[in-house]
Amino acid sequence: ELKVEQNPLFLSMQEGKNYTIYCNYSTTSDRLYWYRQDPGKSLESLFVLLSNGAVKQEGRLMASLDTKARLSTLHITAAVHDLSATYFCAVEVLSYNTDKLIFGTGTRLQVFP
Amino acid sequence: DTGVSQDPRHKITKRGQNVTFRCDPISEHNRLYWYRQTLGQGPEFLTYFQNEAQLEKSRLLSDRFSAERPKGSFSTLEIQRTEQGDSAMYLCASSFAPRDTQYFGAGTRLSVL
């Protein structure tokens, strides 16, 4: 069964610093999502990566996908407090009899002054 | 477009009671998904519908769980004879079609005492 692993699980970083969150998955998939979740809230879609080598950027966040390595990264540039949240990657599983997202365990990001 | 709506937001019940949650998807979204999220974990897939047809049920969905989507609009998730292990956030998501982004509701947090 498909497994999705994220690391680190917790990330405490200072404002202005850069860091990368990693998402590894165990079987072939060509579609990967990144979601953000604030405490007690639902999931907000950030990026969908559709093919090998895909790169998307929004503000201080940039996501990439390497389907051959089964790896996606979420890079944070010059972190600010507003980015504090939990970030999930999710891999799509789609076939004739299934359609679902398999989520990683999440990376809880805390940005401090 | 009012987004995915879930009701209630919070439910506290005693062990052994039945509970029912409701999800209203984004208008014209044909696919509807239920996920469960426990504290510190990513969401886990439970089941999904294409219009009114329930196409897949996870092994997590025991016989005490039943989901419906009459007329392909709103959906209900019922848990019979609740157990403390059922305590979780139950998330609903919808998408227009396969391979489209899943948009999540705010969730129903269930606490079983």
Side-chain angles (χ1 to χ4, degrees), chain B residues 8-92:
Chain B
R9 293 292 309 278
H10 303 276
K11 179 70 176 179
I12 301 174
T13 191
K14 293 182 179 180
R15 189 164 46 118
Q17 298 295 304
N18 300 341
V19 294
T20 300
F21 312 140
R22 176 179 170 126
C23 171
D24 287 90
I26 294 172
S27 178
E28 298 182 354
H29 276 196
N30 298 312
R31 293 218 161 181
L32 186 147
Y33 308 80
W34 285 98
Y35 291 82
R36 182 175 70 184
Q37 185 179 24
T38 54
L39 197 62
Q41 300 296 317
E44 296 174 290
F45 170 80
L46 293 178
T47 188
Y48 85 97
F49 293 83
Q50 169 71 34
N51 297 316
E52 67 276 8
Q54 187 174 18
L55 298 184
E56 184 184 2
K57 293 192 291 186
S58 161
R59 287 172 292 180
L60 294 175
L61 218 61
S62 75
D63 292 344
R64 297 183 296 105
F65 288 71
S66 63
E68 294 182 342
R69 193 184 182 196
K71 303 179 182 178
S73 55
F74 71 92
S75 176
T76 58
L77 177 66
E78 180 184 16
I79 309 174
Q80 296 182 328
R81 304 180 303 282
T82 53
E83 302 173 355
Q84 286 186 328
D86 297 331
S87 296
M89 174 79 87
Y90 290 84
L91 294 166
C92 176

Side-chain angles (χ1 to χ4, degrees), chain A residues 8-25:
Chain A
L9 298 182
F10 299 98
L11 180 55
S12 181
M13 57 189 298
Q14 194 172 18
E15 281 188 331
K17 298 293 187 181
N18 304 333
Y19 210 85
T20 300
I21 299 171
Y22 297 88
C23 173
N24 291 87
Y25 53 99

Side-chain angles (χ1 to χ4, degrees), chain A residues 31-34 45-51 54 56, chain B residues 99 101:
Chain A
R31 188 165 296 223
L32 188 140
Y33 296 82
W34 283 95
S45 176
L46 295 174
F47 301 108
V48 52
L49 302 168
L50 303 178
S51 60
K56 289 197 173 179
Chain B
R99 313 231 83 184
T101 298

Side-chain angles (χ1 to χ4, degrees), chain A residues 1 29-31 33 35 37 40-45 47-48 50 88 92-106, chain B residues 6 9 31 33 35 37 40-45 48 55-56 59 89 91-92 95 97-107 109:
Chain A
E1 182 163 320
S29 177
D30 62 355
R31 188 165 296 223
Y33 296 82
Y35 285 88
Q37 187 176 39
K41 302 292 180 62
S42 190
L43 290 91
E44 174 191 356
S45 176
F47 301 108
V48 52
L50 303 178
F88 292 96
E92 181 180 73
V93 177
L94 179 66
S95 68
Y96 75 96
N97 64 349
T98 190
D99 176 15
K100 60 190 171 189
L101 296 177
I102 306 296
F103 283 82
T105 49
Chain B
Q6 292 189 246
R9 293 292 309 278
R31 293 218 161 181
Y33 308 80
Y35 291 82
Q37 185 179 24
Q41 300 296 317
E44 296 174 290
F45 170 80
Y48 85 97
L55 298 184
E56 184 184 2
R59 287 172 292 180
M89 174 79 87
L91 294 166
C92 176
S95 68
R99 313 231 83 184
D100 282 348
T101 298
Q102 294 182 26
Y103 295 92
F104 284 79
R109 181 169 295 283

